[in-house]
Amino acid sequence: MTLNDVLTKQNLITKILLAGNGKELPKELKVKIMRIRMSYNKIKKQFDEDTQEFSKQIVSDELRDLANKTERTPEEETKFNELNNKANSEYQEYLVQKGNEDIKDAPEDTLTEDEYGDILDVNSDGEYEINGQKVKAADLMEAFYELFVK
Protein backbone atom coordinates (compact mmCIF):
# COMPACT_ATOMS: atom_id res chain seq x y z
CA MET A 1 0.00 0.00 0.00
CA THR A 2 1.39 3.42 -0.94
CA LEU A 3 1.21 6.61 1.07
CA ASN A 4 -1.34 7.93 -1.47
CA ASP A 5 -3.51 4.87 -0.76
CA VAL A 6 -3.28 5.45 2.99
CA LEU A 7 -4.12 9.15 2.68
CA THR A 8 -7.13 8.37 0.48
CA LYS A 9 -8.40 5.76 2.93
CA GLN A 10 -7.69 8.04 5.90
CA ASN A 11 -9.67 10.85 4.33
CA LEU A 12 -12.63 8.54 3.71
CA ILE A 13 -12.75 6.60 6.97
CA THR A 14 -12.71 9.78 9.05
CA LYS A 15 -16.10 10.66 7.51
CA ILE A 16 -17.75 7.46 8.72
CA LEU A 17 -20.20 8.05 11.57
CA LEU A 18 -20.09 5.67 14.50
CA ALA A 19 -23.60 6.69 15.48
CA GLY A 20 -26.33 8.68 13.77
CA ASN A 21 -29.98 8.74 12.77
CA GLY A 22 -30.85 7.04 16.06
CA LYS A 23 -28.58 4.10 15.17
CA GLU A 24 -25.20 3.04 16.47
CA LEU A 25 -22.48 0.69 15.26
CA PRO A 26 -21.74 -2.38 17.38
CA LYS A 27 -19.01 -1.80 19.97
CA GLU A 28 -16.50 -4.14 18.28
CA LEU A 29 -16.93 -2.37 14.95
CA LYS A 30 -16.54 1.06 16.54
CA VAL A 31 -13.28 -0.08 18.10
CA LYS A 32 -12.07 -1.54 14.80
CA ILE A 33 -12.85 1.66 12.88
CA MET A 34 -11.22 3.83 15.54
CA ARG A 35 -8.07 1.67 15.51
CA ILE A 36 -7.88 2.03 11.72
CA ARG A 37 -8.44 5.80 11.99
CA MET A 38 -5.73 6.18 14.63
CA SER A 39 -3.25 4.17 12.57
CA TYR A 40 -3.96 6.21 9.46
CA ASN A 41 -3.89 9.50 11.40
CA LYS A 42 -0.47 8.58 12.77
CA ILE A 43 0.85 8.01 9.23
CA LYS A 44 -0.75 11.25 8.01
CA LYS A 45 0.69 13.23 10.91
CA GLN A 46 4.19 11.95 10.08
CA PHE A 47 3.64 12.85 6.41
CA ASP A 48 2.52 16.37 7.39
CA GLU A 49 5.60 16.81 9.60
CA ASP A 50 7.94 15.51 6.88
CA THR A 51 6.32 17.79 4.31
CA GLN A 52 6.68 20.84 6.54
CA GLU A 53 10.34 20.02 7.15
CA PHE A 54 10.95 19.57 3.43
CA SER A 55 9.24 22.91 2.71
CA LYS A 56 11.47 24.68 5.21
CA GLN A 57 14.56 23.20 3.58
CA ILE A 58 13.72 24.19 -0.01
CA VAL A 59 12.81 27.80 0.75
CA SER A 60 16.09 29.71 0.56
CA ASP A 61 16.85 32.78 2.65
CA GLU A 62 16.81 34.82 -0.56
CA LEU A 63 13.31 33.59 -1.45
CA ARG A 64 12.11 34.22 2.10
CA ASP A 65 13.53 37.76 2.03
CA LEU A 66 11.96 38.52 -1.34
CA ALA A 67 8.61 37.06 -0.24
CA ASN A 68 8.56 39.32 2.82
CA LYS A 69 9.20 42.49 0.81
CA THR A 70 6.10 44.62 0.33
CA GLU A 71 7.46 46.17 -2.86
CA ARG A 72 9.92 44.53 -5.25
CA THR A 73 11.84 46.00 -8.13
CA PRO A 74 11.27 44.36 -11.54
CA GLU A 75 14.58 42.49 -11.12
CA GLU A 76 13.58 41.32 -7.66
CA GLU A 77 10.18 40.25 -8.97
CA THR A 78 11.85 38.20 -11.70
CA LYS A 79 14.23 36.60 -9.18
CA PHE A 80 11.35 35.95 -6.77
CA ASN A 81 9.30 34.22 -9.48
CA GLU A 82 12.30 32.14 -10.55
CA LEU A 83 13.09 31.01 -6.99
CA ASN A 84 9.43 30.45 -6.15
CA ASN A 85 8.83 28.36 -9.29
CA LYS A 86 11.91 26.27 -8.51
CA ALA A 87 10.76 25.68 -4.91
CA ASN A 88 7.23 24.81 -6.08
CA SER A 89 8.58 22.37 -8.66
CA GLU A 90 10.76 20.66 -6.05
CA TYR A 91 7.82 20.52 -3.64
CA GLN A 92 5.54 18.95 -6.25
CA GLU A 93 8.21 16.37 -7.13
CA TYR A 94 8.61 15.58 -3.44
CA LEU A 95 4.85 15.01 -3.10
CA VAL A 96 4.81 12.69 -6.11
CA GLN A 97 7.75 10.65 -4.85
CA LYS A 98 6.53 10.59 -1.25
CA GLY A 99 3.02 9.58 -2.31
CA ASN A 100 4.36 6.58 -4.19
CA GLU A 101 6.37 5.29 -1.22
CA ASP A 102 5.27 1.95 0.19
CA ILE A 103 3.93 2.01 3.74
CA LYS A 104 5.40 -1.00 5.48
CA ASP A 105 3.30 -0.84 8.64
CA ALA A 106 -0.06 -0.19 7.04
CA PRO A 107 -2.88 -1.26 9.33
CA GLU A 108 -5.12 -4.21 8.63
CA ASP A 109 -8.21 -2.43 7.36
CA THR A 110 -10.30 -5.06 5.65
CA LEU A 111 -13.96 -5.10 6.60
CA THR A 112 -16.48 -7.87 6.06
CA GLU A 113 -19.76 -7.59 4.19
CA ASP A 114 -21.61 -7.77 7.53
CA GLU A 115 -19.51 -4.96 9.01
CA TYR A 116 -20.12 -2.92 5.87
CA GLY A 117 -23.86 -3.54 6.27
CA ASP A 118 -23.74 -2.13 9.81
CA ILE A 119 -21.75 0.91 8.61
CA LEU A 120 -24.14 1.43 5.72
CA ASP A 121 -27.09 1.31 8.10
CA VAL A 122 -25.71 4.27 10.08
CA ASN A 123 -24.17 6.21 7.17
CA SER A 124 -26.69 5.90 4.34
CA ASP A 125 -28.40 9.30 4.65
CA GLY A 126 -27.38 12.85 3.91
CA GLU A 127 -24.29 14.40 2.44
CA TYR A 128 -20.67 14.48 3.48
CA GLU A 129 -17.96 17.00 2.71
CA ILE A 130 -14.76 15.58 1.29
CA ASN A 131 -12.00 17.94 0.19
CA GLY A 132 -14.47 20.80 0.05
CA GLN A 133 -16.94 18.90 -2.15
CA LYS A 134 -20.40 17.74 -1.13
CA VAL A 135 -20.77 14.00 -1.65
CA LYS A 136 -23.99 12.03 -1.32
CA ALA A 137 -23.95 9.29 1.29
CA ALA A 138 -24.57 6.64 -1.36
CA ASP A 139 -21.51 7.75 -3.33
CA LEU A 140 -19.39 7.85 -0.19
CA MET A 141 -20.50 4.38 0.81
CA GLU A 142 -19.78 3.04 -2.68
CA ALA A 143 -16.23 4.38 -2.51
CA PHE A 144 -15.88 3.06 1.04
CA TYR A 145 -16.91 -0.41 -0.14
CA GLU A 146 -14.35 -0.36 -2.96
CA LEU A 147 -11.53 0.58 -0.58
CA PHE A 148 -12.31 -1.43 2.55
CA VAL A 149 -14.52 -4.45 1.87
CA LYS A 150 -12.87 -7.61 0.65
Side-chain angles (χ1 to χ4, degrees), residues 80-107:
F80 170 77
N81 288 333
E82 177 186 308
L83 293 172
N84 194 44
N85 289 341
K86 181 178 182 258
N88 283 335
S89 176
E90 290 172 357
Y91 181 76
Q92 291 302 317
E93 181 60 27
Y94 170 81
L95 291 179
V96 168
Q97 288 182 18
K98 190 78 173 165
N100 289 324
E101 284 182 6
D102 282 327
I103 301 298
K104 293 169 182 47
D105 296 327

PDB file of all heavy atoms in Angstrom, residues 80-107:
ATOM      1  N   PHE A  80      12.326  36.579  -7.657  1.00  0.00           N
ATOM      2  CA  PHE A  80      11.348  35.949  -6.768  1.00  0.00           C
ATOM      3  C   PHE A  80      10.571  34.860  -7.517  1.00  0.00           C
ATOM      4  O   PHE A  80      10.419  33.741  -7.018  1.00  0.00           O
ATOM      5  CB  PHE A  80      10.383  36.992  -6.195  1.00  0.00           C
ATOM      6  CG  PHE A  80       9.213  36.377  -5.478  1.00  0.00           C
ATOM      7  CD1 PHE A  80       9.366  35.862  -4.200  1.00  0.00           C
ATOM      8  CD2 PHE A  80       7.963  36.290  -6.077  1.00  0.00           C
ATOM      9  CE1 PHE A  80       8.304  35.281  -3.529  1.00  0.00           C
ATOM     10  CE2 PHE A  80       6.896  35.706  -5.417  1.00  0.00           C
ATOM     11  CZ  PHE A  80       7.064  35.204  -4.139  1.00  0.00           C
ATOM     12  N   ASN A  81      10.059  35.194  -8.695  1.00  0.00           N
ATOM     13  CA  ASN A  81       9.297  34.218  -9.478  1.00  0.00           C
ATOM     14  C   ASN A  81      10.145  33.009  -9.841  1.00  0.00           C
ATOM     15  O   ASN A  81       9.664  31.869  -9.787  1.00  0.00           O
ATOM     16  CB  ASN A  81       8.724  34.873 -10.735  1.00  0.00           C
ATOM     17  CG  ASN A  81       7.582  35.814 -10.423  1.00  0.00           C
ATOM     18  OD1 ASN A  81       6.882  35.659  -9.422  1.00  0.00           O
ATOM     19  ND2 ASN A  81       7.388  36.819 -11.264  1.00  0.00           N
ATOM     20  N   GLU A  82      11.386  33.238 -10.197  1.00  0.00           N
ATOM     21  CA  GLU A  82      12.302  32.143 -10.546  1.00  0.00           C
ATOM     22  C   GLU A  82      12.525  31.224  -9.351  1.00  0.00           C
ATOM     23  O   GLU A  82      12.395  29.997  -9.460  1.00  0.00           O
ATOM     24  CB  GLU A  82      13.626  32.749 -11.028  1.00  0.00           C
ATOM     25  CG  GLU A  82      14.699  31.751 -11.347  1.00  0.00           C
ATOM     26  CD  GLU A  82      16.020  32.452 -11.676  1.00  0.00           C
ATOM     27  OE1 GLU A  82      16.003  33.358 -12.536  1.00  0.00           O
ATOM     28  OE2 GLU A  82      17.041  32.094 -11.063  1.00  0.00           O
ATOM     29  N   LEU A  83      12.849  31.801  -8.199  1.00  0.00           N
ATOM     30  CA  LEU A  83      13.092  31.008  -6.992  1.00  0.00           C
ATOM     31  C   LEU A  83      11.816  30.311  -6.510  1.00  0.00           C
ATOM     32  O   LEU A  83      11.849  29.153  -6.078  1.00  0.00           O
ATOM     33  CB  LEU A  83      13.658  31.899  -5.881  1.00  0.00           C
ATOM     34  CG  LEU A  83      15.066  32.462  -6.112  1.00  0.00           C
ATOM     35  CD1 LEU A  83      15.402  33.485  -5.035  1.00  0.00           C
ATOM     36  CD2 LEU A  83      16.094  31.350  -6.147  1.00  0.00           C
ATOM     37  N   ASN A  84      10.705  31.012  -6.581  1.00  0.00           N
ATOM     38  CA  ASN A  84       9.431  30.452  -6.150  1.00  0.00           C
ATOM     39  C   ASN A  84       9.010  29.284  -7.041  1.00  0.00           C
ATOM     40  O   ASN A  84       8.559  28.242  -6.541  1.00  0.00           O
ATOM     41  CB  ASN A  84       8.360  31.552  -6.133  1.00  0.00           C
ATOM     42  CG  ASN A  84       7.124  31.126  -5.393  1.00  0.00           C
ATOM     43  OD1 ASN A  84       7.197  30.549  -4.320  1.00  0.00           O
ATOM     44  ND2 ASN A  84       5.974  31.408  -5.979  1.00  0.00           N
ATOM     45  N   ASN A  85       9.161  29.445  -8.354  1.00  0.00           N
ATOM     46  CA  ASN A  85       8.828  28.363  -9.288  1.00  0.00           C
ATOM     47  C   ASN A  85       9.709  27.146  -9.058  1.00  0.00           C
ATOM     48  O   ASN A  85       9.228  26.003  -9.105  1.00  0.00           O
ATOM     49  CB  ASN A  85       8.940  28.837 -10.733  1.00  0.00           C
ATOM     50  CG  ASN A  85       7.826  29.795 -11.113  1.00  0.00           C
ATOM     51  OD1 ASN A  85       6.786  29.853 -10.467  1.00  0.00           O
ATOM     52  ND2 ASN A  85       8.051  30.584 -12.159  1.00  0.00           N
ATOM     53  N   LYS A  86      10.977  27.374  -8.781  1.00  0.00           N
ATOM     54  CA  LYS A  86      11.909  26.268  -8.505  1.00  0.00           C
ATOM     55  C   LYS A  86      11.482  25.531  -7.234  1.00  0.00           C
ATOM     56  O   LYS A  86      11.410  24.293  -7.211  1.00  0.00           O
ATOM     57  CB  LYS A  86      13.333  26.804  -8.362  1.00  0.00           C
ATOM     58  CG  LYS A  86      14.365  25.731  -8.096  1.00  0.00           C
ATOM     59  CD  LYS A  86      15.773  26.339  -8.006  1.00  0.00           C
ATOM     60  CE  LYS A  86      16.799  25.255  -7.798  1.00  0.00           C
ATOM     61  NZ  LYS A  86      17.260  25.161  -6.433  1.00  0.00           N
ATOM     62  N   ALA A  87      11.184  26.292  -6.179  1.00  0.00           N
ATOM     63  CA  ALA A  87      10.763  25.678  -4.914  1.00  0.00           C
ATOM     64  C   ALA A  87       9.445  24.913  -5.097  1.00  0.00           C
ATOM     65  O   ALA A  87       9.302  23.790  -4.593  1.00  0.00           O
ATOM     66  CB  ALA A  87      10.619  26.742  -3.825  1.00  0.00           C
ATOM     67  N   ASN A  88       8.501  25.497  -5.825  1.00  0.00           N
ATOM     68  CA  ASN A  88       7.226  24.812  -6.076  1.00  0.00           C
ATOM     69  C   ASN A  88       7.422  23.530  -6.867  1.00  0.00           C
ATOM     70  O   ASN A  88       6.780  22.508  -6.588  1.00  0.00           O
ATOM     71  CB  ASN A  88       6.250  25.738  -6.809  1.00  0.00           C
ATOM     72  CG  ASN A  88       5.619  26.756  -5.883  1.00  0.00           C
ATOM     73  OD1 ASN A  88       5.511  26.543  -4.688  1.00  0.00           O
ATOM     74  ND2 ASN A  88       5.211  27.888  -6.451  1.00  0.00           N
ATOM     75  N   SER A  89       8.297  23.561  -7.849  1.00  0.00           N
ATOM     76  CA  SER A  89       8.582  22.372  -8.656  1.00  0.00           C
ATOM     77  C   SER A  89       9.193  21.264  -7.794  1.00  0.00           C
ATOM     78  O   SER A  89       8.806  20.097  -7.892  1.00  0.00           O
ATOM     79  CB  SER A  89       9.520  22.749  -9.803  1.00  0.00           C
ATOM     80  OG  SER A  89       9.885  21.612 -10.531  1.00  0.00           O
ATOM     81  N   GLU A  90      10.140  21.641  -6.938  1.00  0.00           N
ATOM     82  CA  GLU A  90      10.765  20.660  -6.046  1.00  0.00           C
ATOM     83  C   GLU A  90       9.737  20.091  -5.066  1.00  0.00           C
ATOM     84  O   GLU A  90       9.733  18.890  -4.783  1.00  0.00           O
ATOM     85  CB  GLU A  90      11.919  21.309  -5.275  1.00  0.00           C
ATOM     86  CG  GLU A  90      13.109  21.619  -6.155  1.00  0.00           C
ATOM     87  CD  GLU A  90      14.180  22.441  -5.444  1.00  0.00           C
ATOM     88  OE1 GLU A  90      13.974  22.831  -4.263  1.00  0.00           O
ATOM     89  OE2 GLU A  90      15.226  22.685  -6.080  1.00  0.00           O
ATOM     90  N   TYR A  91       8.857  20.948  -4.577  1.00  0.00           N
ATOM     91  CA  TYR A  91       7.820  20.519  -3.641  1.00  0.00           C
ATOM     92  C   TYR A  91       6.866  19.530  -4.316  1.00  0.00           C
ATOM     93  O   TYR A  91       6.534  18.491  -3.742  1.00  0.00           O
ATOM     94  CB  TYR A  91       7.060  21.746  -3.123  1.00  0.00           C
ATOM     95  CG  TYR A  91       5.978  21.424  -2.125  1.00  0.00           C
ATOM     96  CD1 TYR A  91       6.297  21.094  -0.811  1.00  0.00           C
ATOM     97  CD2 TYR A  91       4.636  21.460  -2.482  1.00  0.00           C
ATOM     98  CE1 TYR A  91       5.310  20.807   0.119  1.00  0.00           C
ATOM     99  CE2 TYR A  91       3.646  21.167  -1.557  1.00  0.00           C
ATOM    100  CZ  TYR A  91       3.993  20.848  -0.269  1.00  0.00           C
ATOM    101  OH  TYR A  91       3.012  20.549   0.649  1.00  0.00           O
ATOM    102  N   GLN A  92       6.443  19.841  -5.527  1.00  0.00           N
ATOM    103  CA  GLN A  92       5.544  18.945  -6.254  1.00  0.00           C
ATOM    104  C   GLN A  92       6.210  17.599  -6.519  1.00  0.00           C
ATOM    105  O   GLN A  92       5.583  16.538  -6.387  1.00  0.00           O
ATOM    106  CB  GLN A  92       5.084  19.581  -7.574  1.00  0.00           C
ATOM    107  CG  GLN A  92       4.158  20.763  -7.394  1.00  0.00           C
ATOM    108  CD  GLN A  92       2.905  20.424  -6.614  1.00  0.00           C
ATOM    109  OE1 GLN A  92       2.283  19.388  -6.818  1.00  0.00           O
ATOM    110  NE2 GLN A  92       2.536  21.293  -5.685  1.00  0.00           N
ATOM    111  N   GLU A  93       7.475  17.624  -6.889  1.00  0.00           N
ATOM    112  CA  GLU A  93       8.209  16.372  -7.128  1.00  0.00           C
ATOM    113  C   GLU A  93       8.319  15.566  -5.835  1.00  0.00           C
ATOM    114  O   GLU A  93       8.170  14.346  -5.843  1.00  0.00           O
ATOM    115  CB  GLU A  93       9.602  16.667  -7.701  1.00  0.00           C
ATOM    116  CG  GLU A  93      10.419  15.434  -7.993  1.00  0.00           C
ATOM    117  CD  GLU A  93       9.798  14.487  -9.012  1.00  0.00           C
ATOM    118  OE1 GLU A  93       9.018  14.941  -9.883  1.00  0.00           O
ATOM    119  OE2 GLU A  93      10.077  13.271  -8.938  1.00  0.00           O
ATOM    120  N   TYR A  94       8.558  16.246  -4.735  1.00  0.00           N
ATOM    121  CA  TYR A  94       8.614  15.582  -3.436  1.00  0.00           C
ATOM    122  C   TYR A  94       7.290  14.882  -3.141  1.00  0.00           C
ATOM    123  O   TYR A  94       7.274  13.716  -2.720  1.00  0.00           O
ATOM    124  CB  TYR A  94       8.937  16.607  -2.341  1.00  0.00           C
ATOM    125  CG  TYR A  94       8.773  16.066  -0.941  1.00  0.00           C
ATOM    126  CD1 TYR A  94       9.766  15.287  -0.358  1.00  0.00           C
ATOM    127  CD2 TYR A  94       7.616  16.334  -0.205  1.00  0.00           C
ATOM    128  CE1 TYR A  94       9.611  14.782   0.928  1.00  0.00           C
ATOM    129  CE2 TYR A  94       7.463  15.837   1.076  1.00  0.00           C
ATOM    130  CZ  TYR A  94       8.456  15.068   1.637  1.00  0.00           C
ATOM    131  OH  TYR A  94       8.297  14.563   2.906  1.00  0.00           O
ATOM    132  N   LEU A  95       6.175  15.598  -3.366  1.00  0.00           N
ATOM    133  CA  LEU A  95       4.854  15.011  -3.100  1.00  0.00           C
ATOM    134  C   LEU A  95       4.601  13.775  -3.957  1.00  0.00           C
ATOM    135  O   LEU A  95       4.059  12.777  -3.467  1.00  0.00           O
ATOM    136  CB  LEU A  95       3.751  16.044  -3.327  1.00  0.00           C
ATOM    137  CG  LEU A  95       3.682  17.201  -2.345  1.00  0.00           C
ATOM    138  CD1 LEU A  95       2.547  18.146  -2.721  1.00  0.00           C
ATOM    139  CD2 LEU A  95       3.513  16.713  -0.915  1.00  0.00           C
ATOM    140  N   VAL A  96       4.998  13.837  -5.219  1.00  0.00           N
ATOM    141  CA  VAL A  96       4.810  12.691  -6.112  1.00  0.00           C
ATOM    142  C   VAL A  96       5.626  11.498  -5.608  1.00  0.00           C
ATOM    143  O   VAL A  96       5.107  10.381  -5.476  1.00  0.00           O
ATOM    144  CB  VAL A  96       5.204  13.046  -7.567  1.00  0.00           C
ATOM    145  CG1 VAL A  96       5.293  11.808  -8.429  1.00  0.00           C
ATOM    146  CG2 VAL A  96       4.203  14.041  -8.157  1.00  0.00           C
ATOM    147  N   GLN A  97       6.891  11.740  -5.305  1.00  0.00           N
ATOM    148  CA  GLN A  97       7.752  10.648  -4.849  1.00  0.00           C
ATOM    149  C   GLN A  97       7.294  10.103  -3.493  1.00  0.00           C
ATOM    150  O   GLN A  97       7.237   8.888  -3.294  1.00  0.00           O
ATOM    151  CB  GLN A  97       9.205  11.113  -4.756  1.00  0.00           C
ATOM    152  CG  GLN A  97       9.854  11.316  -6.101  1.00  0.00           C
ATOM    153  CD  GLN A  97      11.308  11.734  -5.975  1.00  0.00           C
ATOM    154  OE1 GLN A  97      11.939  11.580  -4.937  1.00  0.00           O
ATOM    155  NE2 GLN A  97      11.845  12.279  -7.063  1.00  0.00           N
ATOM    156  N   LYS A  98       6.969  11.007  -2.587  1.00  0.00           N
ATOM    157  CA  LYS A  98       6.533  10.594  -1.247  1.00  0.00           C
ATOM    158  C   LYS A  98       5.222   9.806  -1.330  1.00  0.00           C
ATOM    159  O   LYS A  98       5.053   8.790  -0.648  1.00  0.00           O
ATOM    160  CB  LYS A  98       6.362  11.833  -0.359  1.00  0.00           C
ATOM    161  CG  LYS A  98       6.151  11.538   1.082  1.00  0.00           C
ATOM    162  CD  LYS A  98       7.434  11.182   1.753  1.00  0.00           C
ATOM    163  CE  LYS A  98       7.225  11.041   3.248  1.00  0.00           C
ATOM    164  NZ  LYS A  98       8.338  10.364   3.883  1.00  0.00           N
ATOM    165  N   GLY A  99       4.305  10.252  -2.169  1.00  0.00           N
ATOM    166  CA  GLY A  99       3.021   9.580  -2.314  1.00  0.00           C
ATOM    167  C   GLY A  99       3.127   8.175  -2.846  1.00  0.00           C
ATOM    168  O   GLY A  99       2.288   7.318  -2.558  1.00  0.00           O
ATOM    169  N   ASN A 100       4.173   7.910  -3.609  1.00  0.00           N
ATOM    170  CA  ASN A 100       4.359   6.577  -4.188  1.00  0.00           C
ATOM    171  C   ASN A 100       5.159   5.636  -3.292  1.00  0.00           C
ATOM    172  O   ASN A 100       5.342   4.470  -3.637  1.00  0.00           O
ATOM    173  CB  ASN A 100       5.028   6.685  -5.564  1.00  0.00           C
ATOM    174  CG  ASN A 100       4.078   7.258  -6.596  1.00  0.00           C
ATOM    175  OD1 ASN A 100       2.879   6.987  -6.567  1.00  0.00           O
ATOM    176  ND2 ASN A 100       4.600   8.066  -7.485  1.00  0.00           N
ATOM    177  N   GLU A 101       5.613   6.138  -2.145  1.00  0.00           N
ATOM    178  CA  GLU A 101       6.366   5.286  -1.215  1.00  0.00           C
ATOM    179  C   GLU A 101       5.446   4.218  -0.627  1.00  0.00           C
ATOM    180  O   GLU A 101       4.286   4.478  -0.330  1.00  0.00           O
ATOM    181  CB  GLU A 101       6.938   6.119  -0.058  1.00  0.00           C
ATOM    182  CG  GLU A 101       8.138   6.933  -0.417  1.00  0.00           C
ATOM    183  CD  GLU A 101       8.689   7.710   0.780  1.00  0.00           C
ATOM    184  OE1 GLU A 101       8.200   7.531   1.922  1.00  0.00           O
ATOM    185  OE2 GLU A 101       9.602   8.511   0.553  1.00  0.00           O
ATOM    186  N   ASP A 102       6.009   3.026  -0.459  1.00  0.00           N
ATOM    187  CA  ASP A 102       5.266   1.954   0.191  1.00  0.00           C
ATOM    188  C   ASP A 102       5.238   2.178   1.695  1.00  0.00           C
ATOM    189  O   ASP A 102       6.238   2.574   2.290  1.00  0.00           O
ATOM    190  CB  ASP A 102       5.906   0.593  -0.099  1.00  0.00           C
ATOM    191  CG  ASP A 102       5.565   0.081  -1.480  1.00  0.00           C
ATOM    192  OD1 ASP A 102       4.445   0.369  -1.957  1.00  0.00           O
ATOM    193  OD2 ASP A 102       6.404  -0.603  -2.083  1.00  0.00           O
ATOM    194  N   ILE A 103       4.092   1.930   2.288  1.00  0.00           N
ATOM    195  CA  ILE A 103       3.935   2.011   3.735  1.00  0.00           C
ATOM    196  C   ILE A 103       4.054   0.589   4.261  1.00  0.00           C
ATOM    197  O   ILE A 103       3.216  -0.265   3.974  1.00  0.00           O
ATOM    198  CB  ILE A 103       2.572   2.627   4.124  1.00  0.00           C
ATOM    199  CG1 ILE A 103       2.421   4.024   3.534  1.00  0.00           C
ATOM    200  CG2 ILE A 103       2.395   2.635   5.635  1.00  0.00           C
ATOM    201  CD1 ILE A 103       3.433   5.024   4.003  1.00  0.00           C
ATOM    202  N   LYS A 104       5.118   0.352   5.007  1.00  0.00           N
ATOM    203  CA  LYS A 104       5.399  -1.002   5.484  1.00  0.00           C
ATOM    204  C   LYS A 104       4.482  -1.438   6.620  1.00  0.00           C
ATOM    205  O   LYS A 104       4.122  -2.586   6.719  1.00  0.00           O
ATOM    206  CB  LYS A 104       6.862  -1.101   5.906  1.00  0.00           C
ATOM    207  CG  LYS A 104       7.828  -0.971   4.736  1.00  0.00           C
ATOM    208  CD  LYS A 104       9.251  -0.802   5.206  1.00  0.00           C
ATOM    209  CE  LYS A 104      10.244  -0.619   4.106  1.00  0.00           C
ATOM    210  NZ  LYS A 104       9.899   0.337   3.073  1.00  0.00           N
ATOM    211  N   ASP A 105       4.115  -0.497   7.483  1.00  0.00           N
ATOM    212  CA  ASP A 105       3.297  -0.845   8.643  1.00  0.00           C
ATOM    213  C   ASP A 105       1.857  -0.391   8.477  1.00  0.00           C
ATOM    214  O   ASP A 105       1.244   0.105   9.418  1.00  0.00           O
ATOM    215  CB  ASP A 105       3.903  -0.226   9.910  1.00  0.00           C
ATOM    216  CG  ASP A 105       5.277  -0.799  10.214  1.00  0.00           C
ATOM    217  OD1 ASP A 105       5.499  -1.976   9.931  1.00  0.00           O
ATOM    218  OD2 ASP A 105       6.127  -0.056  10.744  1.00  0.00           O
ATOM    219  N   ALA A 106       1.331  -0.568   7.283  1.00  0.00           N
ATOM    220  CA  ALA A 106      -0.062  -0.187   7.036  1.00  0.00           C
ATOM    221  C   ALA A 106      -0.974  -1.075   7.885  1.00  0.00           C
ATOM    222  O   ALA A 106      -0.737  -2.272   8.011  1.00  0.00           O
ATOM    223  CB  ALA A 106      -0.399  -0.331   5.558  1.00  0.00           C
ATOM    224  N   PRO A 107      -1.998  -0.478   8.462  1.00  0.00           N
ATOM    225  CA  PRO A 107      -2.882  -1.260   9.331  1.00  0.00           C
ATOM    226  C   PRO A 107      -3.743  -2.241   8.534  1.00  0.00           C
ATOM    227  O   PRO A 107      -4.008  -2.028   7.359  1.00  0.00           O
ATOM    228  CB  PRO A 107      -3.765  -0.192   9.977  1.00  0.00           C
ATOM    229  CG  PRO A 107      -3.764   0.936   9.014  1.00  0.00           C
ATOM    230  CD  PRO A 107      -2.407   0.914   8.357  1.00  0.00           C
TER     231      PRO A 107
END
